[in-house]
Amino acid sequence: MLNVIIFLGSPGSGKGTQAAKLSNAFNYKHISIGDMLRNNVERKTELGLKASGFIDSGALVPDDLIIQVVGKFFEDSASSSDGKIILDGFPRTEPQALALEKIINNLGIALTSVIYLNVTDDEVISRLSERGREDDSPELVLNRLNVYRNQTEPLLKYYSQKNLLKEIDGNRFPDLVFAEITELIGVEA
Ligand code: ADP
């Protein structure tokens, strides 16, 4: 049966790094919504053209657009994948979380874990200033942290109430963080 792991955490918390490591180690399909969006912006697709202004200002791309894209991904992979899926960067809002639940319930997919990488703002700011992506300028990082606080952080409570949240101290070296993740989800991996 398909199952899904979600990575939650602020920008720069290491979601992408850890999701990639985990997918390699345990054969998960890694879906990074941010990478997918940037790829669409580069190719100037309809989605890319609609999304680029939001990304460039540090805002979230509107829910309906993102939900459509993710819905389509699950429809396509439900039939083709035997798999295990890691969602990196989705959901980021409550409407996205509700939509995801609907999508996966309809397809008989289980949400097994929500891994929350908890990182201090100081650490985030220092990491992103080194990364140097276009949306990593100091001003945009502050915007994205604000957006995270207001729109994404409420999901921590949502998933904690469902007993799915696994909190990890993400301030440490990537290998240590990864070791803890594998320990936490080892049984399901
Ligand atoms: P980070 O986690 O460092 O913010 P991402 O690559 O995950 O990097 O996201 C980059 C940008 O892509 C976000 O600032 C936002 O504009 C857009 N984005 C990514 N995921 C979503 C989502 N689930 N909903 C809306 N916008 C998103």
Side-chain angles (χ1 to χ4, degrees):
M1 185 172 113
L2 282 164
N3 77 69
V4 174
I5 292 180
I6 292 173
F7 272 82
L8 269 184
S10 65
S13 59
K15 298 185 300 287
T17 305
Q18 297 297 335
K21 271 173 176 281
L22 194 64
S23 63
N24 284 335
F26 296 105
N27 247 335
Y28 277 79
K29 190 162 184 178
H30 174 197
I31 309 301
S32 159
I33 308 301
D35 285 351
M36 204 165 77
L37 289 172
R38 280 184 291 277
N39 177 281
N40 275 273
V41 171
E42 226 165 81
R43 290 187 294 120
K44 297 195 167 57
T45 63
E46 200 186 330
L47 169 66
L49 293 173
K50 285 185 186 157
S52 68
F54 297 101
I55 298 173
D56 291 346
S57 66
L60 292 182
V61 176
D63 283 335
D64 53 345
L65 265 183
I66 297 285
I67 289 168
Q68 222 178 339
V69 171
V70 173
K72 170 115 185 37
F73 164 77
F74 273 101
E75 264 169 40
D76 293 348
S77 50
S79 50
S80 65
S81 169
D82 55 351
K84 307 186 283 187
I85 294 166
I86 292 178
L87 283 178
D88 157 16
F90 182 91
R92 286 198 191 211
T93 65
E94 278 195 36
Q96 290 181 14
L98 295 174
L100 176 67
E101 219 160 77
K102 239 193 206 161
I103 292 168
I104 65 176
N105 283 346
N106 282 341
L107 295 169
I109 300 173
L111 175 55
T112 46
S113 305
V114 178
I115 296 170
Y116 165 43
L117 298 177
N118 191 355
V119 175
T120 62
D121 283 5
D122 283 351
E123 179 69 20
V124 165
I125 289 164
S126 122
R127 284 182 190 178
L128 295 189
S129 65
E130 279 163 33
R131 186 167 73 176
R133 214 169 63 197
E134 251 172 57
D135 58 347
D136 287 339
S137 71
E139 191 196 332
L140 286 187
V141 167
L142 289 182
N143 273 0
R144 280 157 59 215
L145 274 173
N146 261 334
V147 166
Y148 171 76
R149 199 116 296 139
N150 294 328
Q151 305 198 54
T152 308
E153 237 174 35
L155 295 183
L156 299 178
K157 195 166 162 211
Y158 178 81
Y159 286 121
S160 154
Q161 280 168 350
K162 290 179 179 293
N163 246 339
L164 289 169
L165 198 74
K166 293 174 175 153
E167 178 169 347
I168 289 175
D169 176 0
N171 294 292
R172 299 162 307 160
F173 286 119
D175 285 353
L176 276 177
V177 174
F178 185 63
E180 195 176 331
I181 292 174
T182 52
E183 201 177 307
L184 274 176
I185 65 149
V187 184
E188 297 137 21

